[in-house]
Amino acid sequence: MADIADRGAPASANIHETYLAMVRRKRAYSFALLIVFVALMVAGFSVANDRNAGGFIQGFPQILDFPADVVGEAWQNVSELPGHFVDFFPALVETINIAAVSTLIGASVAIALALLSTRGLALWPRAIPVFRRLMDIMRAIPDIVIALVLIFLMGVGPVPAMLAIAIHTAGALGKLFSEVAENADLKPVEGLRSTGARWLQQMHLGVLPQVAPNFLSYALLRFEINVRASAILGFVGAGGIGYELKNAITWGQGQFAESAAIFLMLFATIVLFDQLSSMARHRLVHGGKA
Amino acid sequence: MTHSADVATGPDLRALAVARIARQRLVALAIPAAILAYLVYIFFAFDIAGLANRLRVDNMVTLLSDTWSYKTHVTRDNRSGDVEVAIEGERQGTYPAGEAPDWVSLGSDRTEIVLDDGHVVVFEGADVRYDIPGYGLVTAGHDGRRIVLETPDGSVPDFISASNARVDITTEAGRVSLTRTRNEVFRYFAGWELFFFTLSSPYHGHGPLEILFGDRIDPDRSNIAGAWQDFWGNPMWRHADVVWALGETILMAFLGTMGAALVALPLAFAAARNFAPLVALRFAVRRVFDFARGVDALIWTILLSRAFGPGPLTGTLAILLTDTGTFGKLFSESLENVDGRQIEGVRSTGANALQRSRFGVIPQITPVLISQILYYLESNTRSATIIGAITGGGIGLLLTQAIITQKDWEEVTYYIVLIVLMVMVMDTVSGWLRSRLIRGT
């Protein structure tokens, strides 16, 4: 008994000390990291502040001036608001259409790209890296870049925005879809292959039914994002509600009632589609009527 | 369980199955039909048929050729008779008076310009003689206010467009254009012009080996320092400004994402069911999150740029506000899923609320937190490019400016390549950090 305790004591003291030393070192590292992080944040904010046209300190009291102007003017002309809603409704529909079509096209391309770049499912296994790189590039190019170039080629309108968002959507969804498809059960595919089904039939009947709920859920999430993207691209000249917003804001004082109407419509649309899609996704993921 | 009952009512079951299959078939047909109908509606709503008319083929040609090649202008001013050679016709690319590249020989009243494949253009006074191999000598000159064209066979071929006021000759070797005020020749070269040094720099036309190891080119400066100065301050490509702009974009993304995470984390506790005892508070904080997310970066950017003016701070704050909403929602969801036993364990040691959350809660949600933050850091690099285009900061601004001028497509290409590289680097870095940090904890 005694010698066991004798032998145990120094060892445990050793362990205890090593443990404390490790804790101290970990704390020192964490502290150093924290200092670096805080320094980065502070330096970053001061650089951003210096390079901004107006500083944070001068600007902060004015932060509510513009909203107050807009709300004030809109309140005076509150009777005009319903008229503005009606006027801008077609533009809003265009924005939503851009988002919907680009999600549809993007998701369809993404399904093809995902299946072609998933190990075990790919039609040409050797080409998997090619399709992966392709998706990486499609994802990496911000939609505004494609949209601006296409506006130069096709003129102002919804089509450049639609194509730009669709390309980005195909890349972004393709990656997510391929992650889902990787976890699909291969047995149905093998069963179908044994009956002599072609690749398209294997995918359509063996893989898609398994992954459809997840695919749909990701596509809906993307649709939420695309509604926002389509509004933003409108602002740089791709039509829709963003374009109207830019015009209303550029006209400035006197048109603030219009700006307020557009702000409200945009906000309501974004919230509405967020809610709808989150309800639908909840149903898809948890099954049945949740 | 109910199997026996089902089997007992066999015919009903069969009818049920048939009905279900029929409904399934209908749905399987109805969904593609609905999508098709929608696409047909879009086809007309977006006027896809009219797209062919709106498509600017000439713009596309300019864009494609400009992205990989540049042209050098040789211009004769018909009023003064001076001849000037300028790369892309820009001031910074203009050769000093009396100097020209070796394919142009300047004379007192005769300038000979040698193009590729044996094409030769000669400015003889105000007249232009263009010797096209395989076709013959084309002469164009000024007769009072009119421009006269002479071709070998007297007819005007497709590659020449001629009127009294203007003559254009376009061949694969270059382009010649005559107007009343000036005669111009364009010769095309592959590559991006003056990417390293402009003509005003003494290092123009010297190779890298010559600059690194050769004799001192500029007597006042060492070669490497001088070359770096002239490259960095290149007035055409503005490398220093471009790097600054890239840094600004990344800065916006970094500050916006991290700031949002710092603001959202404490608020998320107030919005999580298991941490906020007050229903009213929870409800209020959640609505704040929804509002911040719903207003969206576009509207935040517009509102904030009214107060702070254009610049990176505005972009940063717009990202910060939007993502506070997003992070708040995500963080409070993961807080609601934490394991209560760890917190209880920490509580049993007598820890107060702050210590409980530090040692009982945060370690549980760190992996989710880090992976979300890093994912958004990468995605916000793209957002910052877009916000920069609206609010006037970073690489987004440079890109929109370059596109709006509709002239320097090689610069547009350069910026696009840089943006794609930046996003890919951020993607790689955030992926690497994620795997390191999450495995580490």
Side-chain angles (χ1 to χ4, degrees), chain A residues 242-259:
Chain A
Y243 188 64
E244 302 292 341
L245 178 62
K246 184 178 186 165
N247 286 344
I249 287 194
T250 321
W251 288 112
Q253 214 96 28
Q255 302 283 321
F256 281 160
E258 288 185 5
S259 313

Side-chain angles (χ1 to χ4, degrees), chain A residues 151-156 159, chain B residues 46-60:
Chain A
I151 287 172
F152 175 67
L153 296 181
M154 301 178 176
V156 171
V159 180
Chain B
F46 284 5
D47 191 18
I48 307 274
L51 199 65
N53 298 329
R54 294 199 302 273
L55 198 66
R56 303 276 309 274
V57 180
D58 50 337
N59 280 357
M60 199 184 290

Side-chain angles (χ1 to χ4, degrees), chain A residues 216-254:
Chain A
L216 208 53
S217 155
Y218 278 132
L220 281 170
L221 192 63
R222 197 68 223 178
F223 177 60
E224 288 176 39
I225 299 171
N226 285 350
V227 171
R228 293 147 188 259
S230 131
I232 291 190
L233 289 186
F235 203 83
V236 296
I241 194 92
Y243 188 64
E244 302 292 341
L245 178 62
K246 184 178 186 165
N247 286 344
I249 287 194
T250 321
W251 288 112
Q253 214 96 28

Side-chain angles (χ1 to χ4, degrees), chain B residues 65-66 69-76 83-90 92-95 99-104 106 113-115 121 123 173-177 183-194 199 204 236 410:
Chain B
S65 66
D66 224 27
S69 70
Y70 69 94
K71 58 185 188 299
T72 302
H73 304 211
V74 183
T75 312
R76 180 182 187 274
V83 174
E84 192 182 70
V85 184
I87 293 174
E88 283 287 351
E90 288 193 38
Q92 276 118 359
T94 308
Y95 283 85
E99 279 181 39
D102 52 10
W103 48 276
V104 178
L106 298 170
I113 302 145
V114 180
L115 306 179
V121 182
F123 289 169
R175 195 155 74 85
V176 177
S177 127
N183 304 341
E184 262 186 307
V185 175
F186 307 99
R187 183 177 171 181
Y188 294 86
F189 294 92
W192 289 345
E193 78 286 0
L194 311 177
L199 294 176
H204 178 75
M236 250 171 127
E410 65 282 359

Side-chain angles (χ1 to χ4, degrees), chain A residues 51-54 97 152-153 228, chain B residues 38 56 248 293 308 310-311:
Chain A
R51 289 181 71 87
N52 216 58
N97 274 338
F152 175 67
L153 296 181
R228 293 147 188 259
Chain B
Y38 180 67
R56 303 276 309 274
E248 225 170 71
R293 244 162 8 106
F308 300 118

Side-chain angles (χ1 to χ4, degrees), chain B residues 13-31:
Chain B
L13 188 70
R14 188 168 175 280
L16 197 71
V18 168
R20 276 199 183 154
I21 290 172
R23 205 176 66 189
Q24 198 77 41
R25 273 197 190 141
L26 205 65
V27 170
L29 209 67
I31 290 178

